[in-house]
C-alpha cells in the first residue's frame, strides 16, 4: 500500500512547476508506483492560458476549486469549468485551458506519467516508451 500526503509531496521531487509559471502539479501517483495511471493535483494560475495536446495520453480532469474554461482548437468550442465539473480528453483533444480564478484540479493520466515530463512545443508529452527528459528537450509549457 502507498499512502502520500499532498502537502508533504509538494516538498519533494513530485512537485513540478511550469517554466512559464502558468501551473504547478503535485504527482501523487506515478507510473513507477506500479499502477496503470498517474494521479496529480494541479493548480492552473489565475489569468493564464495553457496550450495542451496530449497525443499519447488520455487525461480526465476534475475541478475542485476555481474557475476557467477549456477551448477545443479543432472546432473553437468553449466549455466553462467550475468546481464539480470534469472534462475528459478522450480524443487526444488539442485545447487551451484558461483560468479566470486559480483552478485546483485532480488529474488522472493513462498511461501513467513518470513525473519528468515537460510539455513539448506542440503541447504534448512524449510517448510513455520514449525517454521523457531527452525527448522533450526540457521545453517549457
Amino acid at each position: 500500500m502507498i499512502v502520500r500526503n499532498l502537502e508533504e509531496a509538494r516538498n519533494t521531487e513530485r512537485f513540478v512547476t511550469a517554466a512559464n509559471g502558468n501551473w504547478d502539479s503535485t504527482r501523487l501517483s506515478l507510473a513507477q508506483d506500479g499502477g496503470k495511471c498517474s494521479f496529480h493535483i494541479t493548480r492552473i494560475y489565475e489569468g493564464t492560458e495553457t496550450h495542451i495536446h496530449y497525443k499519447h495520453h488520455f487525461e480526465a480532469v476534475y475541478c475542485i476549486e476555481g474557475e476557467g474554461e477549456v477551448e477545443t482548437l479543432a472546432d473553437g468550442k468553449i466549455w466553462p469549468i467550475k468546481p464539480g465539473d470534469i472534462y475528459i480528453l478522450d480524443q487526444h483533444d488539442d485545447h487551451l485551458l484558461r483560468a479566470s480564478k486559480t483552478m485546483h484540479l485532480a488529474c488522472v493520466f493513462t498511461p501513467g506519467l513518470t513525473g519528468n515530463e515537460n510539455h513539448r512545443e506542440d503541447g504534448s508529452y512524449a510517448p510513455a516508451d520514449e525517454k521523457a527528459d531527452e525527448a522533450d528537450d526540457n521545453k517549457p509549457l
Side-chain angles (χ1 to χ4, degrees), residues 16 28 30 41 56 62 65 67-69 72 103 106 109 125 127:
V16 178
L28 292 169
L30 292 167
I41 299 296
H56 312 288
Y62 177 79
E65 183 179 326
E67 294 178 10
E69 63 185 23
T72 49
M103 300 172 77
F109 280 85
Y125 286 147

Side-chain angles (χ1 to χ4, degrees), residues 52-106:
I52 304 170
H53 188 189
Y54 297 127
K55 298 174 182 180
H56 312 288
H57 299 85
F58 288 97
E59 183 189 24
V61 180
Y62 177 79
C63 183
I64 300 166
E65 183 179 326
E67 294 178 10
E69 63 185 23
V70 175
E71 178 180 353
T72 49
L73 296 179
D75 59 10
K77 188 167 182 182
I78 296 174
W79 288 271
I81 303 295
K82 63 186 181 321
D85 291 341
I86 188 170
Y87 66 92
I88 302 164
L89 302 167
D90 63 332
Q91 301 298 310
H92 302 287
D93 308 274
D94 191 4
H95 65 286
L96 297 173
L97 177 57
R98 300 181 187 105
S100 52
K101 294 182 183 174
T102 296
M103 300 172 77
H104 295 243
L105 307 170

